[in-house]
Amino acid sequence: MTVRPNPKTNHSRSLVLAACAAVLAAFTIACGAEMYEVPVETPIPAKLDVSAFQRVLVAGFVVGGTEDVDTNQETVRLLRSQLRNKSELRVIDADPMPLNEVAQEQNKAASVDTSAAGEGPSVRTTSAGEGNAATVLPQKIKDEKDLEPYDRLFANTAYWKRIGEEYQNPLIVTGSVLFVPRTSSGLVTREQEVYDGLGRRRVVPTRVYMERKGFMLRPKFIFIDGRTGATISSLSRREEALYNAQNETPALSTYFELMDRIVPDFLGTLSTQKIKGTRVLLK
Amino acid sequence: MRLLKTLLVIGVSVVAVVPAWADARSSAREQVEFGINVAQRGLWREAIYRWEKAVEIDPMYAAAYNDLGIGYEHEGQLDKARKAYEKALAIEPNNAQIRQNYDLFKEINDRSAQPKDKP
C-alpha cells in the first residue's frame, strides 16, 4: 500500500514555510543594526574645586634621589607648561623655590628656638635628656623615609600664607619628588621570533633572565590655599621604568617618560580634562 | 488541519500586535536616525533631544538608549550616560557594540568617580 501525498497539505505547508521565511526576513531587516563610529570627547570634571582661584603658583619641590637631573627645576617647568596649555588657571612665572634649603633653614631656626625655649612645637627633636636638641632632617634624601621629616614644611601654614600674600593669594602647588635609580634582576617575559619548517614566522613569549636598571619616580603633589596657607589636597603617585642593563637610557629621558604617565592625573585634579575616544552609534 | 488552525491563530495575533509595535519602532527609528545625522555634524544637544524622544516612543529600543548614553557621555552627564547604557544592555544583554561602548565609558567614569575636595 502506498501513501499518496495530499496536495492540499503540501500546499498549506509551503504557505506556512513561505510565511515563516518572510517574517524572519522582515525581522532580520528590522533588527539589522547599522553602525556609525563617532569621535567623542568625554569631559572629566576636576577632582579639586579650584573655582576660588584665578592663578596658580607652582612653587617648587623638596627633591631627593639622583643628582643627574635637576628634579625641582624640571618638575616646576613641566607642570607650569602643562598647566598653561591644559588648564584655565593663569600660571605665575617665578624662580622655582629651593625647598630643600628652605626646610633646612626652618629646621635650624626651630632648633635654635627649641634650645632657647626648651621646647619646640614645630620640629621633632631627640629628647633633651639625650644631650643636644638635634633635629631629624637628613641633608641628603635617598629614599622615602628620608623625605618624611620634610613633610612638616608643607604643614607650616604661616610660611605658605606669607608666600600666598607675596603672589596675591594664588593656588600653590608644591610637594616632594623622589627620583632614584633602581636595579633589578630576574626572569622576564620577552617575545622571540621563531620560524617553523615551512619558513613561517611566529612570535612566542619566552622567559629569560635579565639584569635591568632604571629609575623610580615618586612625586607627591600638595595643593595649598594661598589665602590661608592650609593644605587643600594632595596627590601621590609612584612609577618605575626598568630597561636592559646594556642600554644606556639617560636619566632625564626616563624622568620625562615617567612624568608622562603621572601628568594626566595631576591635570585631572586641577582642571576639566577631555578624554578623546570613539563610540558606535546604532540605528 | 489542527496545525493550520493553530498557525492561523498565531498569525492573526501577530498581525494584530505587530503593526502597533512596528509603528512605534519606525517612528522611534526616525528620531534615532535624525539624531545620528546631527550628532555626526557635532550637534550633540539636538541629537540627545531626538534620542530622548525615541526612547519615550519606544522604551524597548536598545540602540536608542545606546546612542543616548553616548550623547550624555559627550556632554559630561556621566550619571545619565551610565543609566542609559545600562538600560540598553538590560534590553539587549548580548549586543557586543553596546557592551563595548559601555566598557569604554566605564573606564573613564571610574576615573572621575573619586570625591571632589573643596578649599
Side-chain angles (χ1 to χ4, degrees):
Chain A
M1 193 174 128
T2 54
V3 180
R4 277 193 178 179
N6 183 346
K8 266 190 178 176
T9 318
N10 269 353
H11 181 68
S12 29
R13 201 169 285 164
S14 308
L15 272 175
V16 168
L17 281 174
C20 286
V23 168
L24 196 69
F27 192 74
T28 310
I29 290 165
C31 296
E34 291 166 66
M35 296 178 255
Y36 301 86
E37 195 171 82
V38 284
V40 289
E41 284 188 357
T42 311
I44 303 295
K47 289 186 191 91
L48 197 65
D49 182 0
V50 290
S51 54
F53 304 97
Q54 277 85 50
R55 299 166 349 119
V56 58
L57 171 71
V58 183
F61 296 88
V62 170
V63 293
T66 182
E67 285 172 0
D68 293 351
V69 174
D70 185 345
T71 318
N72 186 21
Q73 175 90 19
E74 294 299 344
T75 308
V76 167
R77 202 187 53 75
L78 178 68
L79 296 186
R80 283 181 187 171
S81 103
Q82 290 290 324
L83 285 169
R84 258 186 218 108
N85 294 327
K86 291 171 185 159
S87 88
E88 283 165 14
L89 291 162
R90 272 179 45 220
V91 178
I92 297 170
D93 265 319
D95 289 337
M97 294 165 68
L99 289 187
N100 289 44
E101 289 163 33
V102 172
Q104 292 287 353
E105 278 162 22
Q106 284 188 8
N107 203 36
K108 249 186 236 166
S111 300
V112 170
D113 288 351
T114 310
S115 319
E119 58 177 29
S122 62
V123 289
R124 187 153 56 97
T125 60
T126 54
S127 80
E130 286 174 22
N132 295 335
T135 57
V136 189
L137 203 55
Q139 288 285 339
K140 195 156 171 62
I141 299 167
K142 296 187 291 293
D143 54 28
E144 281 160 271
K145 213 176 166 197
D146 291 341
L147 262 178
E148 272 172 29
Y150 282 83
D151 277 351
R152 75 188 73 139
L153 169 67
F154 308 116
N156 186 344
T157 50
Y159 172 74
W160 291 110
K161 192 171 180 224
R162 203 168 64 243
I163 298 291
E165 279 164 6
E166 199 178 314
Y167 291 97
Q168 286 104 47
N169 304 328
L171 170 73
I172 299 170
V173 178
T174 180
S176 56
V177 183
L178 188 67
F179 184 53
V180 288
R182 277 271 184 275
T183 53
S184 151
S185 56
L187 289 169
V188 291
T189 305
R190 299 184 76 188
E191 291 191 331
Q192 197 176 1
E193 282 185 352
V194 179
Y195 291 89
D196 64 13
L198 297 168
R200 287 177 300 200
R201 178 184 163 274
R202 270 193 315 137
V203 178
V204 289
T206 47
R207 304 268 291 159
V208 287
Y209 181 84
M210 198 188 268
E211 297 275 343
R212 297 192 302 162
K213 62 178 190 178
F215 287 90
M216 185 276 288
L217 181 66
R218 201 241 59 179
K220 180 179 179 186
F221 302 112
I222 295 174
F223 304 94
I224 292 174
D225 186 335
R227 299 166 300 183
T228 61
T231 297
I232 305 167
S233 179
S234 67
L235 169 74
S236 290
R237 284 287 308 267
R238 186 195 176 99
E239 291 288 342
E240 201 172 84
L242 292 168
Y243 311 98
N244 189 333
Q246 267 90 57
N247 297 350
E248 278 302 320
T249 310
L252 189 60
S253 82
T254 310
Y255 167 82
F256 283 114
E257 184 191 325
L258 295 173
M259 277 304 268
D260 241 21
R261 300 182 202 165
I262 292 163
V263 162
D265 265 5
F266 169 79
L267 291 172
T269 307
L270 293 182
S271 60
T272 298
Q273 297 299 305
K274 285 196 169 175
I275 313 275
K276 288 183 183 173
T278 55
R279 300 285 183 275
V280 178
L281 292 170
L282 302 173
K283 261 190 192 175
Chain B
M1 197 60 190
R2 190 179 287 172
L3 174 74
L4 201 64
K5 268 187 186 168
T6 315
L7 282 169
L8 198 68
V9 170
I10 293 170
V12 168
S13 321
V14 167
V15 165
V17 173
V18 163
W21 170 78
D23 252 16
R25 178 53 56 97
S26 96
S27 165
R29 199 176 155 90
E30 273 173 28
Q31 298 293 334
V32 164
E33 282 174 12
F34 192 89
I36 291 174
N37 200 332
V38 291
Q40 284 175 319
R41 287 186 275 140
L43 303 168
W44 285 92
R45 283 192 190 165
E46 176 64 21
I48 288 172
Y49 172 73
R50 297 292 168 172
W51 294 327
E52 279 174 344
K53 268 187 124 177
V55 298
E56 210 177 289
I57 297 166
D58 184 353
M60 294 306 285
Y61 196 174
Y65 278 108
N66 168 75
D67 297 352
L68 198 49
I70 295 170
Y72 285 143
E73 197 186 339
H74 191 275
E75 291 298 295
Q77 300 178 44
L78 304 184
D79 268 352
K80 283 183 168 182
R82 184 179 48 77
K83 281 178 192 156
Y85 281 129
E86 283 172 359
K87 180 80 182 171
L89 277 174
I91 299 167
E92 283 185 22
N94 298 323
N95 189 315
Q97 287 300 339
I98 299 174
R99 170 70 56 192
Q100 187 188 315
N101 285 333
Y102 181 57
D103 287 346
L104 290 168
F105 159 76
K106 253 179 53 180
E107 201 184 309
I108 291 173
N109 192 42
D110 290 350
R111 263 195 254 172
S112 68
Q114 289 150 9
K116 261 190 175 189
D117 294 322
K118 270 201 166 221

